[in-house]
Amino acid sequence: MSNAFPEIYLVRHGETEWSLLGRHTGRSDIPLTANGEAAARQLADRLTGLSFSAVWSSPSERARKTCTLAGFGSGAVIKDDLAEWDYGAYEGITTKAILADRPGWQLFRDGCPKGEFAADVGDRADAVIHALRQTAGTILVFSSSHFLRVLAARWLGLPPEDGSRFVLDTASISVLGYEHDLTEPVIRRWNQR
């Protein structure tokens, strides 16, 4: 369905070795796998015909490389607030391993020791949303799963912890937008592969 309002295209980076293994990848610069690079190249076809007034990327290598392989690297602006959740002491560790030491742990509820909590990520997401709403036109954003999930929750006015209710596959495309007017933010499409 066509929409006269600006849209925000969210792209999760392509597969990395750590994303494949379920290891929390916040600030570590883990490169894309060969499959991740191939999926990033395929994004170009999936985004063909769309016009963007701005392209923003997380500072991570995986997001920047995905952006470049999708054909948008030359015009991309790096935005530090788009960085993935800082997992602190849980960087590089799987949820299964964390649960072995800390039964019942949930990232969105409990956060990470020496890292960020949902409210911290929510503050960064709010800053991004403010900037998005100040920029006219459709914007393309490359980032990582947990940050984009919090961004979606905050876009809808939900608490950052509600990012837990969304999932994102690697190299997926999601679209934020509006329904009847600019006071009605919605998710127009989610996790398209």
Side-chain angles (χ1 to χ4, degrees):
M1 172 164 34
S2 178
N3 185 335
F5 301 114
E7 293 182 319
I8 312 304
Y9 280 71
L10 307 178
V11 178
R12 181 181 176 198
H13 64 76
E15 175 190 274
T16 68
E17 180 184 346
W18 281 17
S19 67
L20 187 61
L21 297 172
R23 294 174 67 179
H24 287 90
T25 315
R27 305 303 164 89
S28 297
D29 257 337
I30 307 300
L32 300 177
T33 62
N35 288 339
E37 289 184 2
R41 284 186 196 93
Q42 291 172 355
L43 286 165
D45 291 336
R46 295 168 56 206
L47 296 168
T48 295
L50 297 171
S51 177
F52 300 101
S53 60
V55 178
W56 297 352
S57 177
S58 159
S60 74
E61 176 186 340
R62 58 195 180 275
R64 291 188 337 260
K65 182 77 168 192
T66 300
C67 178
T68 297
L69 292 173
F72 297 94
S74 64
V77 176
I78 304 303
K79 299 277 189 177
D80 290 341
D81 280 338
L82 292 172
E84 178 59 304
W85 197 306
D86 182 349
Y87 299 115
Y90 293 159
E91 182 76 7
I93 302 175
T94 64
T95 297
K96 182 179 179 181
I98 296 167
L99 289 171
D101 287 335
R102 191 172 168 189
W105 174 80
Q106 293 178 13
L107 172 65
F108 288 88
R109 182 191 65 209
D110 302 321
C112 300
K114 299 182 183 174
E116 289 183 305
F117 291 83
D120 302 317
V121 182
D123 288 344
R124 290 193 292 112
D126 288 346
V128 169
I129 290 168
H130 177 76
L132 289 167
R133 291 187 171 143
Q134 301 303 309
T135 305
T138 297
I139 302 170
L140 179 60
V141 174
F142 291 84
S143 189
S144 299
S145 178
H146 288 137
F147 177 80
L148 291 174
R149 292 166 65 179
V150 172
L151 181 69
R154 296 302 300 139
W155 181 262
L156 298 175
L158 300 172
E161 294 82 3
D162 281 356
S164 67
R165 302 180 187 283
F166 304 98
V167 295
L168 280 175
D169 295 319
T170 55
S172 62
I173 299 173
S174 301
V175 183
L176 306 178
Y178 301 92
E179 189 167 15
H180 299 106
D181 60 45
L182 297 178
T183 67
E184 293 185 36
V186 297
I187 294 176
R188 300 194 62 78
R189 291 180 286 288
W190 191 257
N191 199 37
Q192 295 187 318
R193 297 263 347 229

